[in-house]
Amino acid sequence: MTILFVEQDFARRRMVKDMLAASGAVSVEVRGAADLAGANDGGISLAVVEVESDGDGLTAIERLHQLGVVRPTIIALAQDADLIQPSRSLGADEVLVEPVSIATLFEAIGRHLSPA
């Protein structure tokens, strides 16, 4: 399984990548919407997108749908509750409001990757 992780902070990207690798997942990490073009390899199972008030995460969600990378599963990590509705409107399947523990993030990933 391959998970796309869109996050501006390098240290956080590295931490999540290492934890995903320890659980057997392969992660593709990108800094933001501008880096998504190379992520469209068709092998992405799910995307986790950091959404901050600057709007880049919202742009990333919209761009993922345009590229056809991860329909239908996108988990948004929203900086605050005001970003829940915009994230959902652009196609996020689940929105978690930060701070989000790694356990909560992995539970959300598991819900979306588990067979129905």
Side-chain angles (χ1 to χ4, degrees):
M1 126 185 70
T2 302
I3 297 173
L4 176 66
F5 187 55
V6 182
E7 163 72 54
Q8 291 184 8
D9 181 75
F10 174 78
R12 190 164 173 195
R13 283 196 320 263
R14 182 57 50 184
M15 177 189 69
V16 172
K17 182 176 184 169
D18 290 347
M19 290 182 169
L20 288 170
S23 69
V26 174
S27 68
V28 175
E29 57 178 289
V30 297
R31 184 173 188 275
D35 300 331
L36 290 175
N40 191 15
D41 68 358
I44 304 295
S45 304
L46 178 139
V48 177
V49 180
E50 171 198 37
V51 178
E52 294 184 341
S53 56
D54 69 2
D56 189 60
L58 295 173
T59 302
I61 292 171
E62 187 173 38
R63 184 96 190 266
L64 285 167
H65 288 301
Q66 291 169 352
L67 293 171
V69 175
V70 290
R71 191 68 198 138
T73 307
I74 297 174
I75 299 172
L77 301 178
Q79 181 181 33
D80 59 55
D82 292 340
L83 295 168
I84 294 172
Q85 187 54 42
S87 297
R88 288 198 183 278
S89 294
L90 289 171
D93 298 287
E94 182 166 353
V95 182
L96 304 174
V97 178
E98 295 182 319
V100 175
S101 71
I102 199 69
T104 299
L105 176 60
F106 274 46
E107 286 171 13
I109 290 170
R111 278 193 299 277
H112 292 283
L113 293 180
S114 296

